[in-house]
Each structure stands twice: as C-alpha cells, then as structure tokens.
Amino acid sequence: MIRICLAAVAALALSACSKAPEDVTARYTLGGGSGSVTVQAAANGDARVESGQQALVHKGDTDYMLITDPKGAFAAKMDDFLAVIGEMMRADGMKPAPTPPQSEYELAKTGTDTLAGIKGDIWKVTPKDPAKGPAGETVEAVISSDPAYAHVGKALAMQTKLGAGMQKLQGGAGNLEKRIEEMLGKGMVLRFDNSLKLDKVEKAPIDAKVFALPTVLDKAALKARLTAARDAAKAAQPPMPVQPSADGAPTAAPAPAPAPAPAPKAK
C-alpha cells in the first residue's frame, strides 16, 4: 500500500513538472530589422509561419505552401511544390550545379543564453579542420529544448525544409547546410547567428481559423497553375530589342532567362 501511494505521488510530481506543448505565438526580428517572422503553433501541432509575403502551414502532419497568383489564393503540399518546381526547371533546361569538394563540419554545444525570458543552449557549427575550412565559417544558434515550445521549433523547421529542398534542386545541400539543419532540429530557435532573433512569446489560445487552408491543389493542378502563371509572365515581357551584328545585319538580342514560378504569398 505504501509503495502504491509513493508511486502515485511520484507520478503526480512528474506530471506537475512536465511542460506539454501549448498554444504559443512567437515573434522574431530578422537581422538588421529587415523584416519579421511570426510563428503561431497550437498545442495539437497545427502551425503557421509568416515572413513577409511567404506563408507556410503545418496541418494534419503535412506541410503546405500558401500561394497567391492573379487567379486568387490556393494551397499546395510543400513536397508537391518542390517536385513541380524541379520539373519546370528541368523542362527549361536547368541542371543542378556540380557539388564542389567540401569541408567537414561538427556540431557542439558551447554554453547557454537567455532571450525573451527563455533559456536555451548555445550550439555552434565549425569546421572539423579549421586549417582546411573557409575562414570565419562558424554558425551559431541559441535553441530551447523546452517541450512547451516544441511545436514552434517544428513550425520553423518548415522554412528549413523549404530552403533545403530548393538547394537540392540547384545542386544539393553541402556539409555545412546539413549540420545547420541538424542544429535547428534540436528545438525552438531563440537566435540564429545575426539573422534571426526572438522578440517575445505569447501563450494564449489561437483560433483554429488561423490554420484554415484555401483550396488545396493536387500536383497536376498545381503544375498547370504555375505553368500558366510562368507563361503569362513571359508573354508580358517587352519584345526583345534588335541589335546590329558585326557585319551590320540586325540580330535579336539574347533571350532572357525563363520567368520563375510565382513566389508563395500569404493569404
């Protein structure tokens, strides 16, 4: 009987000390005051990240891009978006750049720091061999592993995933980028070098409407929509000027690069 009571007391103590995820809104400032990032993360794992005109939503274990074009707003799975962009790039003759020889990097915890009242660990990515690594190639971040903010960290990881996906299309992520991705996956970022810094955190219920999605397009519909937008952008470009050749005969100027697909925008 005494053992049962002690076990019950211990269980209550552990539950009182645990910090389960809860609705959290985190606001960040970009380096140099160039903009801001707002992360809204619900206790159930739904999340929304907004930075300028870009908006990403995590809902039902899936990451979505929110995109606006002349026809209106829509959503697409991030995996579908990256796949379609890759197909369009290859159709335009673009190929991933060859990966040059790279240095090896290591990730290490070097201390602690506190930002916006939240304590975090200082992590650094540095070359394994400083003599071979690029001069000054050190990346530092302060990251909180507090479970109460776990979903904020996962929400920010959507931006990491998007950036890594675009890098892969252009030639693949390097060893430095892989270590940085590992570092950012350790929790909620409080500071990332001099480019991102947490200003404040608000713990309050978030309306479920924040995570509502506009019409979600499948991969085929997404490709048709992005292709139409790209073709419209090309058609809207001014006619190519005529330039004289070396012998005086008129020749067309070099064709401009293909117009990119519309950038993701907030609703």
Side-chain angles (χ1 to χ4, degrees):
M1 182 66 179
I2 294 177
R3 290 182 179 178
I4 294 176
C5 291
L6 289 175
V9 170
L12 288 172
L14 286 173
S15 64
C17 293
S18 66
K19 295 182 179 180
E22 52 190 297
D23 286 9
V24 175
T25 298
R27 305 184 189 279
Y28 295 82
T29 297
L30 295 175
S34 58
S36 63
V37 176
T38 299
V39 180
Q40 294 171 286
N44 67 356
D46 288 350
R48 181 184 178 107
V49 180
E50 290 192 26
S51 179
Q53 293 184 319
Q54 183 188 81
L56 308 173
V57 169
H58 179 82
K59 191 176 180 68
D61 295 326
T62 303
D63 296 334
Y64 295 91
M65 314 279 297
L66 301 190
I67 304 171
T68 299
D69 65 7
K71 293 184 179 180
F74 61 96
K77 294 179 181 179
M78 186 183 294
D79 290 342
D80 287 347
F81 177 84
L82 290 170
V84 168
I85 292 298
E87 291 174 5
M88 294 174 68
M89 289 172 63
R90 289 189 292 272
D92 284 334
M94 300 178 66
K95 298 181 180 180
T99 303
Q102 299 179 5
S103 300
E104 291 293 330
Y105 294 84
E106 57 187 3
L107 174 63
K109 183 166 61 175
T110 63
T112 61
D113 196 0
T114 300
L115 289 91
I118 301 174
K119 185 178 180 180
D121 297 317
I122 300 174
W123 292 89
K124 286 187 178 182
V125 176
T126 56
K128 284 187 176 181
D129 185 348
K132 295 181 180 179
E137 193 73 281
T138 298
V139 180
E140 179 183 288
V142 181
I143 300 176
S144 169
S145 59
D146 188 334
Y149 306 115
H151 291 320
V152 175
K154 293 178 181 178
L156 281 172
M158 287 193 289
Q159 290 190 319
T160 304
K161 177 183 175 181
L162 177 59
M166 295 302 294
Q167 282 186 332
K168 185 176 180 180
L169 293 176
Q170 298 173 46
N175 294 330
L176 174 61
E177 287 75 19
K178 291 174 182 177
R179 292 290 80 76
I180 291 175
E181 186 175 357
E182 178 185 351
M183 177 173 67
L184 297 181
K186 292 187 175 296
M188 181 180 76
V189 176
L190 306 182
R191 177 177 60 78
F192 179 72
D193 250 0
N194 296 317
S195 59
L196 186 71
K197 181 181 178 182
L198 179 67
D199 282 334
K200 62 179 179 179
V201 169
E202 303 162 7
K203 293 183 179 181
I206 301 173
D207 193 326
K209 293 179 181 178
V210 168
F211 312 111
L213 297 169
T215 301
V216 179
L217 302 185
D218 61 20
K219 183 180 175 183
L222 173 65
K223 186 171 184 178
R225 188 85 167 246
L226 295 184
T227 300
R230 181 197 61 184
D231 293 345
K234 284 183 178 181
Q237 291 179 349
M240 293 183 295
V242 175
Q243 298 178 342
S245 64
D247 59 4
T251 60
K265 297 182 180 179
K267 291 174 60 181

